[in-house]
Amino acid sequence: MTSARAKILFVLTNLISIVCLVWVLRGADLPSLGREIQQMKWPWVLFASVTDILAYVLQGWRWSILLEPVARIPVMRTVRAVYVGLFANEVLPFRTGEVIRCYLISRWTQLPISVSLSSALIERIFDGIWLVLYLGVVLMFVEVPTPLQRAGIVLMLVIAALVAVMGWVMFYKQHAQKALATSRWAKTWNTLIEDLHAIGNSRSFYFSWLASLPHLLSMTLPIYGVGRAYGIDLSIAEAAVVNAVVRLGTVIPSAPGNLGTYQALVVLALTMLGYDSALAKRFSLILWGIVTLPLLLGGFVALSVTGFKIGELRREAQSHDPSSP
């Protein structure tokens, strides 16, 4: 990405986030927020925080399994890298944390960064597959508007296409390399194809896909816990809908920490489920704060253990990213 394009994208994403945040704050009846926070059930807040941490420990465990064919990496090391990446995503734009966590694993293990980046891509595809299945099951128990149902169908088609491409690369490596030989990014594509082929042709690849399910399910629990803490009758199925909408909506890069867009997506999901708009707006602010604080604290501790500064990690990671021009 050129500097000019990066600046334009930075301005646009932050502008959208600001507009979303202003919309959420407007009509939220903020004076009621302080009173509602005082009345919250704090054991449920603790439950939400613990399950939020659990979700990313499970992500680190899945990543360790996925990388097993090319490197045996202790789970605590992958969890630490995940948390440093999450911290970077909270304070830096463009999801820089994804590259940073891959760079850290490569630095700690001497694994080529192209391999760790390929594994992160596979993780996203795994998440997409399970999200489609998860959304399909949830829609059997919760009535949602037609636009969300259509979005689920579109997502299903996109994920099916990605799965087909990934399968073609893994099992027909030479054909994939030949098809992309004339591309200006042929060298980068060849590296990615080799890495996907190496990781994909192993039993741990399928175990990692199965491990993606508890990771996705665990991300519903903090939403359910905050709902119980806040005092709204949010069912597990409804929390699952909120989780699905948020995960779909935050695929597109936004401001650091998804500030603004996260809250707007939560409000969108809750109002589709029939909740009052002002209540949904206040709940979205509380939910964002409760799920973000453990990421910041855990990420800060993980970053401190590495001995790096976040700006230094960002520069080094970007300089080693093979996809950078």
Side-chain angles (χ1 to χ4, degrees):
M1 184 183 298
T2 64
S3 177
R5 286 172 59 192
K7 288 177 181 177
I8 292 171
L9 183 58
F10 176 79
V11 171
L12 284 176
T13 53
N14 281 277
L15 182 61
I16 291 170
S17 297
I18 290 169
V19 169
C20 288
L21 186 59
V22 169
W23 174 73
V24 169
L25 294 176
R26 190 176 178 182
D29 188 16
L30 294 179
S32 300
L33 191 60
R35 182 178 66 256
E36 290 170 344
I37 291 174
Q38 291 177 354
Q39 296 173 349
M40 287 180 68
K41 301 169 185 175
W42 294 102
W44 279 107
V45 173
L46 178 62
F47 170 83
S49 299
V50 170
T51 51
D52 188 54
I53 293 170
L54 173 65
Y56 296 107
V57 171
L58 288 172
Q59 182 181 350
W61 171 60
R62 175 186 67 175
W63 198 17
S64 180
I65 295 172
L66 184 59
L67 287 170
E68 196 172 293
V70 289
R72 291 188 176 274
I73 305 172
V75 173
M76 289 311 299
R77 181 159 286 188
T78 53
V79 170
R80 194 193 315 166
V82 164
Y83 262 96
V84 172
L86 291 169
F87 181 79
N89 284 339
E90 295 299 320
V91 299
L92 297 174
F94 305 137
R95 300 271 167 75
T96 310
E98 290 297 303
V99 178
I100 286 176
R101 71 179 175 105
C102 293
Y103 167 71
L104 277 175
I105 286 296
S106 297
R107 184 184 177 96
W108 290 335
T109 62
Q110 302 303 311
L111 195 68
I113 192 170
S114 64
V115 176
S116 54
L117 286 169
S118 298
S119 67
L121 173 62
I122 292 171
E123 283 185 319
R124 298 288 77 81
I125 295 174
F126 283 172
D127 288 342
I129 295 170
W130 279 116
L131 189 58
V132 167
L133 297 173
Y134 165 89
L135 192 55
V137 172
V138 167
L139 293 180
M140 294 169 61
F141 298 95
V142 179
E143 221 177 294
V144 298
T146 302
L148 183 59
Q149 295 178 354
R150 290 175 179 169
I153 293 171
V154 171
L155 177 65
M156 189 180 302
L157 294 174
V158 171
I159 293 301
L162 287 173
V163 170
V165 170
M166 187 169 67
W168 176 58
V169 168
M170 289 191 308
F171 299 111
Y172 298 96
K173 180 181 72 171
Q174 293 180 343
H175 294 280
Q177 289 175 328
K178 186 177 179 180
L180 296 168
T182 58
S183 168
R184 59 178 294 198
W185 298 99
K187 185 176 179 181
T188 300
W189 282 118
N190 282 341
T191 302
L192 177 62
I193 290 168
E194 291 286 351
D195 297 337
L196 287 174
H197 181 75
I199 295 173
N201 286 275
S202 65
R203 286 186 302 175
S204 60
F205 176 85
Y206 301 99
F207 290 148
S208 179
W209 177 71
L210 291 173
S212 298
L213 179 58
H215 166 60
L216 177 62
L217 293 177
S218 64
M219 298 192 79
T220 298
L221 297 178
I223 300 171
Y224 173 73
V226 175
R228 296 297 300 268
Y230 189 63
I232 61 176
D233 190 21
L234 191 68
S235 68
I236 283 285
E238 290 175 330
V241 171
V242 175
N243 182 32
V245 171
V246 168
R247 287 180 67 81
L248 286 172
T250 53
V251 167
I252 302 170
S254 60
N258 294 318
L259 181 64
T261 51
Y262 183 97
Q263 286 89 344
L265 289 165
V266 171
V267 174
L268 175 65
L270 288 177
T271 51
M272 284 194 305
L273 293 169
Y275 286 89
D276 175 70
S277 177
L279 178 69
K281 288 179 177 181
R282 296 195 300 276
F283 175 78
S284 73
L285 296 170
I286 291 174
L287 176 62
W288 181 83
I290 291 174
V291 299
T292 299
L293 185 58
L295 299 187
L296 289 173
L297 293 176
F300 179 77
V301 171
L303 182 64
S304 300
V305 171
T306 65
F308 285 103
K309 293 181 179 178
I310 194 67
E312 179 185 1
L313 266 180
R314 180 187 186 183
R315 287 190 298 271
E316 291 196 20
Q318 289 180 335
S319 68
H320 286 79
D321 181 1
S323 64
S324 298

